[in-house]
Amino acid sequence: MYSFGVRTVHLLMICGISLNAYLICLSAPYVADDHFIFYRLRQGGVFGFASQPPTSFFRPLISLHYYLDYLLGMSPLFSHLVNLFWHTVCGLLLYALAYRLLRRWGWNERIAEHGAILGALLFVALPANVEAVAWFAARADMVATASALGALLLLMRFYEPARRADYLGALGCFAIGLFCKESLLTFPFIVWLWLRYLSVERAGWFAAPFFGVLMVYLAMRTAIVGGVGAYPEAWGTLQRPWLLVVNLFAYLFQMGMPAILYGLGRDLWDTLLWGVWLAGAGMVVYAWRVSPSRQPFQVEWRILLRFVLLSLLPVLIFKPSPFYFLNSRYSYLASAFMAVGVGGFLAQLSQSRGWGRSAVAFLLAAYVVGTLRQADAWRTAGEIARNSVLSLRDAPAEQPLLILSVPDHFHGAYIWRAGFHEGVALLLPERANQPVYVASRFTMRLRADTRVEYANGVATLTNPIDIFLSPEGARTPPAEEPIVLPDKLVVHWSLLAQYRLIGFQEGRFVPLAVEQGGSTAHALPINLAQHDVDAANQGDHVGDEASDRHLFQRL
């Protein structure tokens, strides 16, 4: 047996890297779909999310899981801790699976342990997985992955001593994962390949119950959703098979990225990070080529790549293209299988003298820094989301509001991609019934201080690399809709008389002044705090709330 102390150190390393990589975003407020989920739970109860019509998805068990967060007061800290727990569990399960696979491939205990820990550390520190961990709404990806890895481990145990309990446990893990997210639709095929790979007699017979669970799930999903259901873009993708191949390579590519593409060539730290990653990757290739004991690595890539492709197949069919948005959470399960093989490769490489160990350390360092940077972006996005909604607190409740543009995402982290109106209802319940409309969304690619400036009926952005987006997922004004262009937003004059115009600056929504007659409009860099002081000095009002309300009424 390998040293119990060394194995304990390895387990602590997985937990420690996972915790430290995401410690920065544990207190980050909720963003985007998080508010939508809680709003649906408030309206529909324990199975209010993705379990009742109308919905495009069927995920009753994850709705049950989210309901615990709802009952505990919708605490971001608790929700992020639970997400981090599931990510760490996935890392530990991958460590166990990788070790057993490497031992099966003939590796000795020491090298197998080395390969397993490298694979697990690579997985928990992979920047492509930040979206799944840092975003509360993406918890389903981690629960499904933990279920899949647990099922494979139990099937391996079932094969060795032939214990029925392990088989039933694997079947239960699959059912839990599938009813949390449809990313396990192809898992019965993985089970069939896995049992055949383990040389289990009657592999098809043992895989049949997994297909049975799948049929039950599809029948229930069809009844609830009214069909198979998916994102609207999915069925258009099926009509263009070549796009499936393009999306597949895009998902595979982004798995190995140290960080997202937004800052490459435009942001010093992102560019430097990419440089470090490329240097590490180059060192790995060089060390492999010059290794004096260069032999074919005993990693059976064929079975791992089959698992990767089957894991990505539901994503390619049901989910939006990665070019629509990075959507890196969808490759979470596939990255686990890739990490097993890459961990074994790096373990053998690090055994050689010279560049091997330095290259591995260089590469892992780039991944850890990339994950820290992305986790910090999610923290910033959460703060923008919360502060922006709370800034509407003092708006006049008797007038409809037209927000020119809401921030969509910051450095790849969602802000108000969806769920804005649900966020208003949850954070400002007194505003739940007030007419609030949104004219557009806008990107915050690299800077969190992008402002929406407005003059003469046209809104522009202060950062030239940011763009306006369509108001998808938001309520638009029922009258004349603004014209949304990438570089500007044109507001029809008739809207000025119907709504109170709201702009975005300094991380909050502020009122926009409109001159009498509506012939011209411009943004006022209003400092609400300073206005309070001035009003108090003049004796106009008493208290901050009265002063702010007076300001809105004057405008």
Side-chain angles (χ1 to χ4, degrees), residues 280-403:
M283 291 169 62
V284 167
V285 173
Y286 178 78
W288 173 67
R289 291 183 62 86
V290 302
S291 176
S293 59
R294 183 180 169 191
Q295 298 291 334
F297 291 100
Q298 300 300 315
V299 174
E300 297 189 18
W301 283 104
R302 185 168 59 179
I303 186 68
L304 293 177
L305 290 178
R306 288 178 178 177
F307 287 178
V308 168
L309 293 177
L310 285 171
S311 300
L312 289 176
L313 186 57
V315 174
L316 297 173
I317 295 176
F318 285 91
K319 304 299 182 181
S321 163
F323 297 103
Y324 172 77
F325 211 85
L326 288 179
N327 293 316
S328 59
R329 66 188 182 279
Y330 296 143
S331 59
Y332 190 83
L333 175 58
S335 69
F337 295 125
M338 287 293 294
V340 172
V342 175
F345 171 81
L346 295 179
Q348 292 208 16
L349 188 67
S350 62
Q351 299 304 308
S352 61
R353 296 180 179 179
W355 289 86
R357 296 183 180 179
S358 299
V360 173
F362 215 61
L363 197 60
L364 285 176
Y367 280 138
V368 171
V369 174
T371 293
L372 286 170
R373 186 160 174 78
Q374 272 307 101
D376 185 58
W378 281 93
R379 178 191 60 80
T380 302
E383 293 174 350
I384 295 173
R386 179 176 177 82
N387 293 338
S388 63
V389 167
L390 292 181
S391 67
L392 294 173
R393 181 166 25 206
D394 298 313
E398 68 279 1
Q399 294 178 309
L401 306 179
L402 176 57
I403 300 175

Side-chain angles (χ1 to χ4, degrees), residues 9-30:
V9 170
H10 285 173
L11 297 179
L12 292 176
M13 287 174 62
I14 296 171
C15 297
I17 293 294
S18 180
L19 175 62
N20 283 279
Y22 292 95
L23 188 63
I24 196 170
C25 67
L26 285 182
S27 59
Y30 295 117

